[in-house]
Amino acid sequence: FEAYKTLILGGGLWLILFFAAVSVYQGMTAVSYQSAKDVYYKKYLTEMTGKLTQEKADWFQKEYEKFEPILKLQAALESGMIDGAAYDELIGPYGGLMVEKEAVDDIVGTNFAYLKENKGAQLVYGAGFERMFDLKDKTEADEMVLVLLMMAAALSGIFSMEISGGMDKVITVTPLGKQKTVRTKLLLAACVGGALAVISLVPVYIDVLRHEGLKGLWVPAKSMEAFADVPANVPLVGMLAAQVLLRLAVCLWAAVFISWISLKMKNTLMSTFCACLILCVPTLLASAGLEGFLWLSPYPVFHWLGFVNNYENTWICAGYAVALLGSGLYWANSLQRHFGSEA
């Protein structure tokens, strides 16, 4: 019955379904632009994903045989046999081959060097994973605002609807009592938060699978430079699992907070306004250029994986996680004590 009141009468289910539909649509219609060099880079790395063996190194060296015309022209230019104008004219027909050579040069020069310096790292095409983890800080802040906004709209009436209708007093004298009711409502709020946390990942998963792919899930995470300090026994799939857990943690915390606000405000509209103001406005201000406001939101935990290569920020994120856990437990206990009584 609690689920019926919140999800059907309160409209929470329709918000979840709407959010899911929009997320799928967003992922299916997203456009990704890749240069010719990116296409070759992806081709070589996806084919050679895994440990750098001598066989793979020899294969890359043999691949330079196809670039022989370019190498000869470059040698002629360096020796003075031809001038720059002649070189530009002669190299024209090999434009596509030149781009492919640049991709191979990057792999042999940059990727191979990184593997030698970082024991346990392997070859992997990381463009898709970079977007999954938002390592360039482009999307996760917006994703967090959207999911918290959906949670505020779906859960703000979870306790206030009982108070406005006088049912909170009735519940205290029923056989199950307020303790059971509060636990049921918190479980429901947690389920709604968990569902929205998972749905928030749908657009980027669909987009990445359509354009970059996720080959190399079991490659050590430290194969990517952004995760160079991660232990070698942690694969990229483990980092993806950690990302889901972090989003779940933030959404579960937000679910408890919104429930507490709903009890305190005693009014659904005011609960929604206050929840949005506290949870979403700091991140919106950060998106407007005031980046310091991000630290007044749960973003450090939501985006924790983006900080793993920064020792100081990692410990700050750990502190935020402890603060979220402590405040969440406090609010849950407060709900147990005050629901059905004068708050």
Side-chain angles (χ1 to χ4, degrees):
F1 184 63
E2 294 297 338
Y4 176 79
K5 287 191 291 185
T6 299
L7 298 180
I8 305 300
L9 296 181
L13 178 61
W14 318 123
L15 281 171
I16 294 173
L17 293 176
F18 172 76
F19 187 40
V22 171
S23 296
V24 172
Y25 176 80
Q26 183 181 354
M28 294 300 297
T29 57
V31 179
S32 178
Y33 298 98
Q34 292 182 318
S35 65
K37 182 179 177 180
D38 291 335
V39 172
Y40 285 120
Y41 191 75
K42 174 184 175 181
K43 169 180 174 291
Y44 280 109
L45 284 179
T46 51
E47 289 178 359
M48 294 296 162
T49 296
K51 293 182 179 179
L52 177 59
T53 61
Q54 187 60 48
E55 181 182 359
K56 289 181 180 179
D58 293 340
W59 185 89
F60 272 104
Q61 290 302 321
K62 189 176 181 181
E63 193 72 359
Y64 274 93
E65 294 179 2
K66 71 162 66 173
F67 307 133
E68 192 65 27
I70 296 175
L71 296 173
K72 288 181 177 179
L73 286 173
Q74 290 176 340
L77 178 64
E78 291 174 1
S79 65
M81 294 178 61
I82 58 175
D83 58 19
Y87 174 82
D88 292 338
E89 182 178 352
L90 293 171
I91 203 69
Y94 300 108
L97 196 62
M98 175 69 81
V99 173
E100 185 174 1
K101 178 180 177 297
E102 290 175 358
V104 175
D105 286 341
D106 281 353
I107 294 172
V108 174
T110 304
N111 294 64
F112 282 18
Y114 177 78
L115 299 188
K116 291 177 181 178
E117 295 173 0
N118 293 270
K119 187 178 181 181
Q122 300 180 16
L123 288 172
V124 66
Y125 179 62
F129 293 105
E130 287 180 2
R131 293 182 58 201
M132 289 297 306
F133 299 120
D134 190 29
L135 297 179
K136 296 181 178 179
D137 297 327
K138 289 184 175 181
T139 61
E140 279 204 332
D142 294 336
E143 292 169 6
M144 187 185 75
V145 168
L146 185 57
V147 73
L148 292 179
L149 182 63
M150 290 292 105
M151 290 185 65
L155 296 174
S156 289
I158 194 167
F159 282 98
S160 62
M161 68 170 62
E162 308 288 7
I163 298 172
S164 61
M167 285 301 296
D168 58 323
K169 305 300 182 183
V170 176
I171 289 172
T172 59
V173 297
T174 59
L176 293 178
K178 67 176 185 178
Q179 299 295 320
K180 177 67 174 179
T181 301
V182 170
R183 286 195 293 269
T184 302
K185 285 181 177 292
L186 285 177
L187 178 60
L188 175 61
C191 291
V192 171
L196 291 172
V198 172
I199 293 172
S200 70
L201 286 166
V202 168
V204 68
Y205 266 86
I206 293 176
D207 189 12
V208 168
L209 288 172
R210 286 176 58 225
H211 298 112
E212 284 90 7
L214 291 174
K215 186 174 181 181
L217 285 171
W218 295 99
V219 164
K222 69 178 305 173
S223 301
M224 296 179 59
E225 188 174 353
F227 299 140
D229 293 333
V230 174
N233 60 349
V234 178
L236 283 168
V237 69
M239 301 296 282
L240 290 174
Q243 181 188 44
V244 175
L245 291 176
L246 289 171
R247 291 204 179 198
L248 285 172
V250 170
C251 288
L252 293 180
W253 170 83
V256 176
F257 173 71
I258 295 169
S259 298
W260 182 76
I261 286 288
S262 180
L263 176 68
K264 291 296 182 181
M265 292 294 103
K266 303 181 178 66
N267 178 280
T268 301
L269 183 60
M270 280 301 298
S271 300
T272 305
F273 174 77
C274 290
C276 291
L277 180 67
I278 296 170
L279 295 176
C280 301
V281 169
T283 311
L284 291 174
L285 290 173
S287 299
L290 303 174
E291 296 183 1
F293 278 90
L294 274 179
W295 298 97
L296 298 179
S297 73
Y299 182 75
V301 177
F302 198 86
H303 188 61
W304 195 339
L305 297 182
F307 299 121
V308 294
N309 247 24
N310 186 313
Y311 183 80
E312 181 180 350
N313 283 346
T314 297
W315 281 106
I316 292 174
C317 292
Y320 271 76
V322 172
L324 260 60
L325 176 61
S327 59
L329 291 174
Y330 169 79
W331 290 324
N333 182 61
S334 177
L335 285 167
Q336 292 277 5
R337 290 186 289 110
H338 293 138
F339 179 61
S341 62
E342 291 298 323

